[in-house]
Amino acid sequence: MRLIFVRHGETPWNRTLQYQGQAPIPLNERGREQARRAGQRLARSGAVALYSSDLPRAWETAEIIGEYVRLRPIAMPDLREIDVGLWQGLTPTELYQRFPDHMREYDRDPARTVRLGGESYAQLQARVLRAFAQIEAAHQTGETIIVVSHGGSIRALFCHIIGLDLANFGKLWLDNGSLSEIVRGRSGWRLLRMNDVAHLEDLVVEGGE
């Protein structure tokens, strides 16, 4: 079994480095083109199912990809991005200006500090692992599944797969529209590729969560 993860296409807030969390921010035109190119690259993947976060930026990405792989997305709310609470709409600079005490706590323990009114990264990981277990149980050895989700959600899962402490999640990076892949063999799941952007060329622009 292999799972191919796609980070959703770019949004206006990715460009301005604003934390999106679970805000219903749509794709911009660059994001739609990233999704189209991801779909073109996945057209011959042989995927049997397409799962997606139900947040608009991921769902629109999945619908575009679905046109190329001839699959309809299946909504899975547990694949949503982390709930950032009061961080929503703010940039990193604004966060440190408005909530200095909270951000000091976050810097000390980024994995377990609960965003103000939201979730911690540890809570996100537990939620994404529920979705992962459901997908794994629904499919057989040898099948390929596409999963459209978010930078935080995918990185949380990958930390679990490779045994990386969640405190280091910020050292992993996924570009908008990138492909990553895990495969299950005799010794369990392993990370095969991460942040593959060969299909994006001039469309890679570093953005926020």
Side-chain angles (χ1 to χ4, degrees), residues 7 9-18 20 25 28-31 34 91 176 202-209:
R7 186 188 176 195
E10 185 185 273
T11 74
W13 283 19
N14 285 133
R15 295 300 301 271
T16 53
L17 301 181
Q18 292 171 266
Q20 295 178 104
I25 309 301
N28 59 21
E29 189 48 47
R30 183 192 295 269
Q34 290 168 337
T91 65
N176 291 111
D202 58 329
L203 293 179
V204 174
V205 178
E206 182 170 324
E209 288 187 348

Side-chain angles (χ1 to χ4, degrees), residues 1 3 51 76 129-141 143 145 184 189:
M1 186 186 302
L3 270 62
Y51 293 90
M76 188 165 278
L129 285 173
R130 286 198 304 268
F132 175 61
Q134 291 170 7
I135 293 171
E136 185 179 20
H139 295 280
Q140 301 176 1
T141 300
E143 292 185 332
I145 300 98
R184 189 178 68 188
W189 289 96

Side-chain angles (χ1 to χ4, degrees), residues 55-192:
L55 293 179
R57 59 193 187 270
W59 190 254
E60 186 178 0
T61 301
E63 286 186 318
I64 292 170
I65 291 172
E67 295 175 1
Y68 292 92
V69 299
R70 300 182 180 181
L71 293 169
R72 303 181 77 173
I74 300 168
M76 188 165 278
D78 275 345
L79 293 172
R80 289 180 179 183
E81 181 60 281
I82 187 170
D83 184 347
V84 296
L86 295 180
W87 292 28
Q88 185 172 297
L90 300 179
T91 65
T93 299
E94 290 170 334
L95 277 178
Y96 281 91
Q97 291 173 342
R98 295 191 187 189
F99 308 117
D101 293 340
H102 170 67
M103 295 311 294
R104 278 193 291 271
E105 179 184 353
Y106 174 77
D107 287 339
R108 285 194 298 270
D109 190 358
R112 293 164 186 82
T113 298
V114 177
R115 275 71 166 166
L116 297 168
E119 294 177 299
S120 69
Y121 217 74
Q123 290 170 327
L124 168 67
Q125 186 183 60
R127 170 162 59 77
V128 173
L129 285 173
R130 286 198 304 268
F132 175 61
Q134 291 170 7
I135 293 171
E136 185 179 20
H139 295 280
Q140 301 176 1
T141 300
E143 292 185 332
T144 296
I145 300 98
I146 299 170
V147 181
V148 180
S149 190
H150 306 265
S153 305
I154 299 170
R155 289 183 294 166
L157 174 62
F158 286 178
C159 282
H160 172 79
I161 294 294
I162 66 176
L164 182 67
D165 191 283
L166 273 176
N168 296 307
F169 73 86
K171 297 177 181 178
L172 304 179
W173 181 252
L174 296 172
D175 289 292
N176 291 111
S178 63
L179 307 182
S180 301
E181 183 175 347
I182 59 174
V183 295
R184 189 178 68 188
R186 294 180 180 177
S187 58
W189 289 96
R190 65 184 186 274
L191 180 60
L192 186 64

